[in-house]
């Protein structure tokens, strides 16, 4: 019979730490700790496979699996010497979720399972502590009621808070056994009213309902949303871990806590975490009480603290990674409830990887594989400007939970955050976050909570998302209903309203009122620089370039390690205020002579731009794309022109002056100029401009445009080369679908190049002419195109549109449905469609190199900075990827990881 249930505890386990696929992260950790002799409460793990069987079997567990669960329960009862549902000395259980990949707070947990009216009395007699017994029972009803019976937690909270208010209790621990009994009675009435049934008294039935609730939590909206955000497959399912309870709420010699073997925010090698005395584990992570720093445990319970340090240190050495652990101390005795590789911020991931190499724990290759490429984005976040922050009012200080600066408008609920984020950056301000806030956290630039510690839900999830976060800002009183927060600052009350600007520093925990200026990060810091050096060693000859249109962006790209410019979009240069009038004059021209006259004014401006790019790249290649968009994009919108023509006759002098500035002509010429402009806009109107008169088609019908750009490119190359700087111009002709188009434009470029270079005495300056592959016909006839093209650069934004017949601008209207229904695995404009568009690319690469074996091949769409797309580009034999400057480090690391994976596959093939 196939095994579905795995026992652990007492120094043995059916599974081990390598079985994450079957046991999930939590279950494999419990099994491994049990084998290592770590004090772990015994229990059993119901495998992830059962979760999938559960859904396939119409939300029922198959009979043979049920039999294995009952057998494992009997084994646990024998080991503990207690029985689930036993009246005199009941066995109590926790039931927790645990997928292969950590999903903090997204799925369900139930504690104290097995309590009912009779077993609670038995527990009170056995322990001699009635308050403890009834506290456990009220917690169980509350947790089970929400998770398994689907009762709104707020209804339980209302009952609990009302009792506290009635007896004027400040803390939960101020409630005595009689108060807790009264609360339990009200809880049971609530259950009866909400479900029509009494609270279940059969302990075994409680277990089965809890197990099913854990499996069902795999498909809750928040869990589905988190998986989509973290790119976790839906098919892997979650395990359910059933474990004997140990109690941190038995008095002042008991407690519970969570921690990390290193700081998950910074990566510093310090013991990090928090604990609460006389509490259960959920109290810490839920942020209900603000816990104490874990270092203080050394004073409160020195022996338990010493043992905890020893165990967790050994676990880190065993796993060769930072450990995220949970523990409970029951009347002075330590129990480990969980260990798993800890989630950490990008800065922490890099520092830990570098430190662990220097400590001899892992190799450089392991270090490079240890950091997810997307995590590097967090190291490139801006920081609050030191001078600017001095001018702002500091309104609160909390715990620095996730580093970086965030500036945005305050929103006090996740729904409001989603709404406001459509208009600009948002800071989510909450009393504490819960897993239901995941959509609000996702759209926010930063998160601020009034309560909770460094291991609260807000802190853990924000770190995983790379969002700056400040928690436990106790002077902030959030009133979600009024959409405001009352902040006590310097003895005064300050009202923070929805929409007010807030600036927070997740590195220091400081919060400011107002919109603070931010500064760019330093990519030369020791840990980052060392780590990227190792990544480049494994990346080998695979290049990473940047998309940059102006010298400032090119310089930034070089700082981040770009090895050239893979795409300079020349049209962006024409939109500058001093250039658009000349561009419009060229478009309005009715003959070649007038057009050339306008282009002559643009030539020195383009030449200056190109010279700046060549200078910044200093010996690295610069790919410059000739004019690509249709001409109407450089003209005003038809509707705006019609309004201004109608307004002109009765406009005030001030309004006419504004129009003059807008259209770049003197006021007296507006009456003649605006109708001419409108007429030309109407002439240039196209039904489908994306497939219309643009790209190489413009250069063929208006060759003087391509000629001006080519002259500017080569004159700039001469200018910079004569300063002793090596220049490598690569001229890229866009939207080629037929080799004859490229032949036409290449001939023009080569003629101009020869003229300019000969005149300058630089005939030997090497340059290349190639094309952007963004039309399926060009890809299908790539062998013909390569007879003219010296390089290919795949424009995957347009290639995705033309291959899939999908408008990038319109896809957003139905993208959610397509991705929810799994029609598309992900947004094809963000993540390359390898099964469709990828096949077109792979075919074109092979055909192109068949004609020209030394053909240089790259990619310059947005996919060039997306890790899985970079891996694809490496696999199909491209020479480089190009992406935005801030994604260059991400692409460098993704390429290194692709190279390492390629080595591994090659080794497997050799040894097969």
């Amino acid at each position: 019979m196939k095994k579905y249930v795995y026992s652990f505890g007492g120094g043995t386990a059916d599974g081990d730490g390598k079985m994450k696929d079957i046991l999930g992260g939590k279950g494999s950790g419990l099994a491994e700790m049990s084998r290592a002799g770590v004090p772990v409460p015994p229990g059993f793990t119901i495998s992830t496979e059962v979760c999938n069987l559960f859904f396939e079997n119409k939300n029922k567990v198959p009979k043979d699996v049920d039999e294995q669960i009952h057998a494992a329960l009997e084994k646990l009862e024998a080991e503990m010497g207690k029985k689930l549902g036993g009246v005199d000395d009941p066995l109590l259980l926790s039931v927790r979720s645990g997928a292969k990949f950590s999903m903090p707070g997204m799925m369900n947990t139930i504690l104290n399972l097995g309590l009912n009216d009779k077993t609670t009395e038995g527990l009170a007699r056995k322990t001699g502590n009635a308050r403890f017994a009834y506290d456990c029972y009220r917690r169980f009803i509350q947790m089970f009621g929400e998770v398994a019976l689907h009762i709104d937690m707020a209804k339980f909270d209302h009952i609990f808070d009302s009792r506290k208010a009635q007896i004027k209790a400040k803390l939960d621990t101020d409630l005595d056994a009689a108060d807790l009994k009264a609360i339990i009675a009200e809880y049971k009435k609530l259950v009866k009213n909400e479900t029509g049934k009494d609270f279940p008294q059969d302990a075994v039935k409680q277990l089965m309902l809890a197990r099913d609730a854990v499996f069902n939590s795999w498909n809750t909206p928040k869990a589905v949303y988190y998986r989509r955000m973290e790119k976790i497959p839906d098919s892997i399912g979650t395990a359910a871990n059933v474990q004997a309870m140990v109690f941190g709420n038995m008095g002042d010699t008991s407690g519970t806590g969570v921690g990390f073997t290193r700081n998950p925010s910074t990566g510093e090698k310090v013991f990090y975490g928090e604990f609460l005395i006389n509490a259960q584990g959920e109290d810490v992570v839920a942020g209900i009480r603000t816990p104490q720093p874990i270092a203080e445990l050394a004073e409160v319970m020195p022996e338990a603290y010493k043992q905890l340090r020893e165990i967790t240190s050994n676990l880190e050495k065993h796993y060769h990674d930072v450990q995220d652990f949970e523990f409970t101390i029951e009347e002075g005795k330590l129990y480990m409830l969980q260990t798993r590789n800890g989630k950490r911020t990008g800065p922490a991931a890099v520092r830990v990887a570098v430190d662990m190499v220097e400590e001899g724990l892992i190799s450089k290759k392991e270090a490079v594989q240890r950091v997810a490429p997307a995590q590097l984005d967090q190291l490139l976040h801006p920081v609050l400007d030191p001078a600017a922050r001095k001018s702002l009012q500091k309104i609160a200080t909390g715990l620095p939970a996730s580093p970086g600066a965030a500036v945005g408008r305050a929103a006090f609920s996740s729904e409001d955050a989603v709404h406001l984020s459509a208009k600009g950056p948002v800071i989510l301000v909450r009393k504490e976050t819960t897993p239901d806030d995941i959509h609000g956290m996702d759209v926010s630039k930063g998160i601020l909570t009034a309560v909770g510690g460094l291991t609260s839900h807000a802190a853990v999830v924000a770190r995983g998302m790379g969002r700056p976060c400040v928690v436990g800002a106790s002077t902030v009183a959030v009133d979600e209903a009024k959409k405001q927060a009352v902040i006590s600052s310097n003895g005064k009350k300050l009202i923070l309203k929805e929409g007010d600007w807030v600036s927070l520093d997740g590195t220091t925990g400081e919060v400011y009122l107002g919109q603070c200026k931010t500064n760019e990060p330093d990519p030369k810091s020791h840990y980052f620089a060392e780590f990227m050096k190792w990544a480049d060693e494994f990346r080998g000859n695979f290049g990473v370039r940047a998309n940059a249109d102006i010298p400032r962006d090119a310089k930034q790209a070089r700082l981040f390690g770009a090895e050239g410019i893979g795409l300079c979009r020349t049209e962006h240069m024409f939109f500058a205020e001093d250039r658009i009038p000349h561009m419009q004059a060229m478009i309005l021209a009715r003959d070649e002579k007038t057009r050339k006259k306008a282009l002559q004014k643009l030539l020195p401006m383009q030449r200056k731009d190109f010279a700046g790019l060549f200078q910044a790249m200093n010996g690295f290649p610069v790919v410059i794309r000739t004019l690509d968009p249709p001409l109407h994009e450089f003209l005003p919108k038809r509707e705006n022109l019609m309004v201004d023509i109608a307004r002109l006759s009765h406009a005030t002098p001030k309004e006419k002056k504004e129009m003059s500035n807008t259209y770049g002509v003197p006021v007296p010429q507006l009456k003649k100029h605006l109708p001419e402009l409108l007429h030309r806009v109407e002439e240039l109107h196209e039904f489908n401009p994306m497939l219309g008169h643009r790209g190489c088609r413009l250069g063929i019908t208006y060759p003087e445009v391509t000629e001006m750009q080519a002259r500017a490119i080569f004159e700039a190359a001469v200018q910079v080369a004569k300063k002793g700087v090596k220049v490598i111009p690569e001229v890229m002709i866009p939207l080629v679908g037929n080799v004859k188009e490229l032949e036409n434009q290449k001939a023009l470029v080569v003629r101009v190049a020869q003229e300019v270079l000969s005149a300058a005495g630089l005939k030997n300056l090497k340059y290349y002419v190639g094309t952007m592959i963004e039309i399926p016909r060009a890809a299908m006839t790539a062998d013909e195109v390569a007879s003219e093209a010296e390089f290919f650069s795949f424009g995957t934004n347009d290639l995705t549109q033309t291959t899939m017949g999908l408008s990038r601008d319109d896809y957003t209207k139905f993208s959610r449905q397509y991705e929810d229904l799994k029609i598309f695995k992900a947004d094809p404009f963000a993540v390359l469609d390898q099964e469709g568009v990828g096949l077109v690319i792979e075919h074109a690469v092979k055909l192109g190199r068949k004609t020209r074996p030394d053909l240089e091949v790259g990619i310059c769409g947005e996919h060039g900075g997306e890790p899985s797309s970079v891996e694809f580009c490496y696999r199909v034999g491209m020479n480089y990827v190009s992406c935005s400057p801030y994604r260059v480090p991400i692409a460098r690391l993704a390429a290194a990881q692709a190279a390492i994976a390629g080595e591994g596959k090659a080794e497997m093939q050799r040894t097969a």
Side-chain angles (χ1 to χ4, degrees):
M1 182 186 290
K2 183 173 174 61
K3 191 172 182 64
Y4 290 109
V5 181
Y6 297 76
S7 294
F8 59 83
T12 63
D14 296 340
D16 60 38
K18 296 175 183 175
M19 297 176 65
K20 286 186 181 180
D21 286 337
I22 295 172
L23 302 180
K26 194 188 298 284
S28 64
L30 289 167
E32 190 75 1
M33 284 195 293
S34 296
R35 283 172 171 263
V38 173
V40 172
F44 54 89
T45 297
I46 307 168
S47 76
T48 58
E49 294 169 297
V50 178
C51 181
N52 288 323
L53 288 172
F54 175 79
F55 290 121
E56 289 168 14
N57 201 36
K58 298 181 180 178
N59 290 16
K60 291 182 181 177
V61 169
K63 186 179 178 183
D64 59 327
V65 177
D66 251 338
E67 290 171 357
Q68 290 188 35
I69 293 170
H70 281 92
L73 176 60
E74 287 175 11
K75 180 180 177 182
L76 177 60
E77 288 174 330
E79 186 171 349
M80 295 297 295
K82 300 180 180 183
K83 191 169 181 60
L84 183 66
V87 174
D88 296 324
D89 188 10
L91 171 65
L92 301 185
L93 303 173
S94 66
V95 184
R96 301 170 188 257
S97 60
K100 177 181 179 181
F101 302 105
S102 175
M103 294 173 57
M106 294 302 117
M107 292 182 292
N108 289 336
T109 292
I110 293 176
L111 305 180
N112 306 308
L113 186 142
L115 285 174
N116 57 32
D117 294 349
K118 291 181 179 178
T119 57
T120 302
E121 291 175 8
L123 182 65
R125 288 193 299 271
K126 178 69 178 177
T127 60
N129 188 339
R131 190 206 177 278
F132 157 72
Y134 288 104
D135 183 45
C136 289
Y137 193 22
R138 73 91 188 164
R139 288 171 182 270
F140 174 53
I141 297 174
Q142 188 169 347
M143 198 174 280
F144 190 90
E146 182 194 29
V147 170
L149 304 179
H150 314 295
I151 301 170
D152 186 354
M153 178 61 80
K155 294 181 179 181
F156 289 108
D157 288 340
H158 176 71
I159 294 169
F160 190 78
D161 292 341
S162 296
R163 185 68 183 192
K164 281 176 69 177
Q166 183 183 336
I167 67 161
K168 298 179 181 178
K170 288 185 178 180
L171 302 174
D172 296 358
T173 48
D174 293 336
L175 297 168
D176 62 19
D179 295 316
L180 293 166
K181 278 186 178 182
I183 289 169
I184 288 165
E186 292 300 313
Y187 278 4
K188 288 165 70 178
K189 285 181 188 176
L190 174 64
V191 170
K192 183 72 181 263
N193 290 338
E194 292 288 321
T195 67
K197 297 178 183 178
D198 291 326
F199 185 79
Q201 298 291 302
D202 184 328
V204 175
K205 185 178 179 182
Q206 291 174 358
L207 175 59
M208 300 312 161
L209 288 171
R211 173 204 62 197
D212 293 353
V214 165
F215 288 150
N216 278 316
S217 70
W218 178 252
N219 282 332
T220 58
K222 64 188 177 187
V224 171
Y225 189 99
Y226 186 86
R227 288 200 298 276
R228 184 188 301 124
M229 184 177 73
E230 294 291 318
K231 297 181 174 59
I232 297 171
D234 289 327
S235 58
I236 62 173
T238 180
N241 298 285
V242 179
Q243 198 171 11
M245 281 291 298
V246 286
F247 301 96
N249 59 330
M250 290 188 74
D252 291 341
T253 59
S254 302
T256 188
V258 297
F260 294 79
T261 51
R262 303 189 189 214
N263 187 316
S265 186
T266 66
E268 186 182 1
K269 192 177 181 181
V270 293
F271 198 52
Y272 179 101
E274 296 165 321
F275 75 101
L276 285 169
I277 294 294
N278 196 18
Q280 289 196 337
E282 290 301 301
D283 296 344
V284 180
V285 295
I288 295 165
R289 288 161 57 189
T290 299
Q292 298 169 251
I294 202 165
E296 294 178 12
L297 186 62
E299 300 167 19
V300 182
M301 300 181 196
E303 284 303 313
Y305 178 77
K306 181 182 175 184
Q307 188 184 8
L308 180 66
R309 287 300 308 267
E310 184 180 335
I311 289 171
T312 54
S313 177
N314 288 336
L315 286 171
E316 181 178 277
K317 289 172 185 172
H318 178 78
Y319 284 104
H320 296 230
D321 203 351
V322 177
Q323 293 303 291
D324 165 7
F325 56 86
E326 293 181 19
F327 66 93
T328 286
I329 301 167
E330 181 180 288
E331 297 185 319
K333 181 173 173 54
L334 173 70
Y335 293 92
M336 299 301 295
L337 306 183
Q338 170 180 290
T339 192
R340 61 186 175 191
N341 293 341
K343 280 189 173 288
R344 66 211 78 170
T345 65
V350 170
R351 177 167 180 172
V352 167
V354 173
D355 281 347
M356 284 191 168
V357 170
E358 292 174 354
E359 292 165 23
L361 276 175
I362 59 175
S363 66
K364 288 181 183 179
K365 183 183 284 189
E366 288 173 307
V368 168
Q369 293 172 294
R370 189 65 64 83
V371 179
Q375 284 186 296
L376 293 185
D377 190 40
Q378 298 168 37
L379 279 87
L380 313 175
H381 281 322
V383 294
L384 295 182
D385 180 80
R389 79 160 76 195
K390 288 179 182 176
S391 65
L392 298 179
Q393 179 186 355
K394 184 162 79 171
I395 55 174
T397 301
L399 300 171
S402 186
V407 180
R409 295 183 184 274
F412 297 95
S413 74
S414 287
E415 288 68 30
D416 290 337
V418 170
H419 175 71
L420 286 173
S421 68
K423 302 173 185 176
V426 169
I427 302 294
L428 180 62
V429 184
R430 302 284 281 150
K431 179 183 177 184
E432 75 262 1
T433 64
T434 71
D436 292 328
D437 286 311
I438 187 68
H439 57 301
M441 297 175 78
D442 187 34
V443 300
S444 300
K445 296 296 181 184
I447 295 134
L448 170 65
T449 71
V451 300
L454 293 169
T455 53
S456 62
H457 174 268
V460 172
V461 174
R463 281 196 293 269
M465 296 169 73
R467 299 287 190 279
C469 178
V470 175
V471 299
S474 56
T475 57
V476 179
V478 176
D479 188 332
E480 184 181 335
K482 291 184 179 179
K483 298 189 177 186
Q484 66 179 37
V486 179
I487 301 173
S488 303
S489 179
N490 298 322
K492 297 179 181 178
K493 299 284 187 183
L494 180 148
I495 306 292
L496 179 71
K497 297 180 180 177
E498 181 179 87
D500 288 347
W501 282 97
V502 180
S503 301
L504 63 84
D505 187 334
T507 307
T508 65
E510 295 169 318
V511 184
Y512 297 86
L513 182 65
Q515 191 175 5
C516 189
K517 177 188 171 187
T518 56
N519 292 335
E520 298 306 318
D522 177 17
K524 294 181 180 178
S525 67
H526 163 66
Y527 288 105
F528 182 70
E530 187 72 5
F531 180 80
M532 293 311 300
K533 185 175 80 175
W534 298 343
D536 289 340
E537 287 172 12
F538 291 104
R539 177 165 59 91
N541 295 325
F542 188 80
V544 177
R545 301 183 187 180
N547 301 339
D549 306 327
I550 55 175
R552 184 183 69 242
D553 289 348
K555 288 172 185 172
Q556 187 67 57
R558 283 294 297 126
L559 272 176
F560 288 134
E563 299 156 328
I565 291 175
L567 175 63
C568 167
R569 293 156 287 212
T570 55
E571 62 270 9
H572 286 188
M573 302 167 173
F574 294 135
F575 285 103
E577 196 174 320
D578 59 335
R579 303 178 189 194
I580 195 70
H582 304 305
M583 191 65 186
Q584 290 180 352
M586 186 276 290
I587 296 168
L588 288 172
R590 293 293 179 178
D591 56 69
E592 185 179 332
K593 182 180 177 183
T594 314
R595 256 193 310 277
K596 282 188 172 180
K597 185 179 177 183
L599 289 167
Q600 277 302 115
K601 293 178 180 176
L602 288 169
L603 190 148
M605 299 173 182
Q606 286 246 287
R607 182 173 59 224
K608 182 180 177 184
D609 290 328
F610 297 146
L613 295 176
F614 290 137
Q615 191 82 39
M617 282 299 112
N618 192 16
F620 286 109
V622 177
V623 177
I624 299 171
R625 181 179 72 186
T626 54
L627 190 64
D628 185 44
L631 295 178
H632 74 82
E633 288 196 10
F634 299 98
L635 298 177
K637 286 190 174 2
R638 178 175 179 270
E639 295 76 12
N640 294 345
L641 272 169
M642 292 175 73
V643 169
D644 285 343
I645 289 169
R647 286 175 55 220
L648 185 61
S649 59
H650 56 268
T652 64
K654 182 182 177 183
E655 289 170 336
K656 287 180 179 179
K657 182 65 177 172
E658 288 172 355
M659 286 189 206
S660 172
N661 292 335
T662 299
Y663 293 108
V665 296
V667 171
Q669 294 181 25
L670 284 171
K671 189 174 181 179
K672 180 173 182 288
H673 180 73
L674 295 188
E676 287 178 353
L677 206 53
L678 177 61
H679 181 62
R680 189 65 172 133
V681 167
E682 289 174 337
E683 279 184 336
L684 292 172
H685 171 73
E686 294 181 294
F687 289 105
N688 191 347
M690 201 211 95
L691 298 177
H693 194 195
R694 55 170 284 219
C696 65
R697 299 160 190 171
L698 275 175
I700 290 168
T701 52
Y702 299 124
E704 54 273 20
V705 175
T706 303
E707 182 173 347
M708 180 277 289
Q709 292 198 295
R711 195 168 297 280
I713 289 168
F714 290 106
E715 286 181 0
V718 166
Q719 188 183 104
V720 175
K722 286 191 171 181
K723 294 178 182 177
V725 176
K726 186 180 179 183
V727 176
I728 308 174
E730 299 190 14
V731 182
M732 181 160 69
I733 309 301
L735 213 74
V736 165
N738 188 306
V739 68
K740 292 187 181 298
E741 292 172 314
L742 180 57
E743 191 180 317
N744 174 288
Q745 291 291 279
K746 181 181 177 182
L748 197 158
V749 171
V750 170
R751 174 177 61 78
V752 173
Q754 288 174 347
E755 287 175 16
V756 174
L757 297 178
S758 294
L762 290 172
K763 282 185 179 181
N764 294 328
L765 190 147
K766 186 66 179 166
Y767 65 92
Y768 302 86
V769 181
T771 187
M772 200 169 186
I773 304 287
E774 49 195 328
I775 300 289
R777 191 183 190 283
M780 294 299 102
T781 61
D783 50 348
E784 294 178 12
V785 176
S787 66
E788 291 290 337
E790 294 170 288
F791 67 87
F792 285 174
S793 181
F794 288 92
T796 50
N797 300 338
D798 276 357
L799 186 60
T800 296
Q801 293 194 94
T802 54
T803 301
M804 299 182 74
L806 191 66
S807 163
R808 179 174 51 180
D809 298 320
D810 296 317
Y811 171 60
T812 54
K813 294 174 184 174
F814 56 91
S815 60
R816 175 56 64 85
Q817 292 94 322
Y818 262 53
E819 288 161 38
D820 284 348
L821 292 170
K822 307 293 185 294
I823 295 171
F824 292 164
K825 291 179 183 176
D827 179 349
F829 296 103
V831 180
L832 187 68
D833 166 38
Q834 296 184 26
E835 292 83 5
V837 179
L839 283 178
V840 175
I841 292 171
E842 194 168 2
H843 180 73
V845 173
K846 289 175 181 174
L847 281 181
R849 291 213 171 118
K850 187 176 176 183
T851 299
R852 193 185 291 266
D854 62 347
L855 183 73
E856 178 187 79
V857 181
I859 181 176
C860 60
E862 280 304 304
H863 300 101
E866 194 282 315
S868 68
S869 306
V870 173
E871 188 275 334
F872 168 83
C873 295
Y874 181 91
R875 183 160 37 85
V876 300
M878 290 193 191
N879 299 94
Y880 69 87
V881 295
S882 187
C883 54
S884 63
Y886 284 91
R887 301 194 87 185
V888 165
I890 295 170
R892 287 164 64 193
L893 178 56
Q897 292 180 349
I900 291 169
E903 285 177 11
K905 286 177 184 174
E907 181 62 29
M908 286 173 65
Q909 288 169 354
R910 280 195 297 271
T911 56

